Amino acid sequence: QVQLVESGGGLVQAGGSLRLSCAASGISFSVFVINAMGWYRRAPGKERDLVATITRDGSTNYADSVKGRFTISRDNVKNTVYLQMNSLKPDDTAVYYCNVVISRSDYWGQGTQVTVSS
């Protein structure tokens, strides 16, 4: 069973930075390949939205609201995806969820809270 463990959330002032990590475990990654990895977020009272995704070969996609401020990366040996968040704004306050796609199935982390104070 795939397990995703997220870390790195917290409280930061506007203009600050945070780095989120999400490590996948629980299955044999020599048999099952992680395809896309990504981060989504749900702000209070809103639906869950895409933040950024990255394919196995490193192609990235970002929401317009985070372009130029956030950077997604992955380590295929550690089965880990990262989200470096710079120049944070109060509007970035949300629960951030890690997502991985393995054999066309989606798996989600438990979420980590990011709060940006003004």
Side-chain angles (χ1 to χ4, degrees), residues 16-101:
S17 299
L18 285 173
R19 188 191 194 210
L20 305 182
S21 300
C22 173
S25 64
I27 61 174
S28 172
F29 293 104
S30 62
V31 176
F32 299 96
V33 174
I34 299 177
N35 303 116
M37 305 181 83
W39 291 93
Y40 293 72
R41 67 186 181 187
R42 177 176 285 150
K46 297 185 178 180
E47 296 183 351
R48 186 164 56 188
D49 290 327
L50 167 74
V51 176
T53 61
I54 184 168
T55 64
R56 185 166 182 82
D57 63 4
S59 297
T60 58
N61 179 50
Y62 294 92
D64 288 342
S65 60
V66 307
K67 284 181 180 177
R69 300 188 298 123
F70 291 10
T71 302
I72 189 170
S73 61
R74 64 188 283 174
D75 185 327
N76 291 332
V77 174
K78 295 181 179 180
N79 299 309
T80 300
V81 62
Y82 306 95
L83 185 68
Q84 178 66 43
M85 304 185 293
N86 299 327
S87 302
L88 282 160
K89 305 174 181 179
D91 284 350
D92 295 318
T93 295
V95 177
Y96 284 70
Y97 297 91
C98 169
N99 170 266
V100 301
V101 178

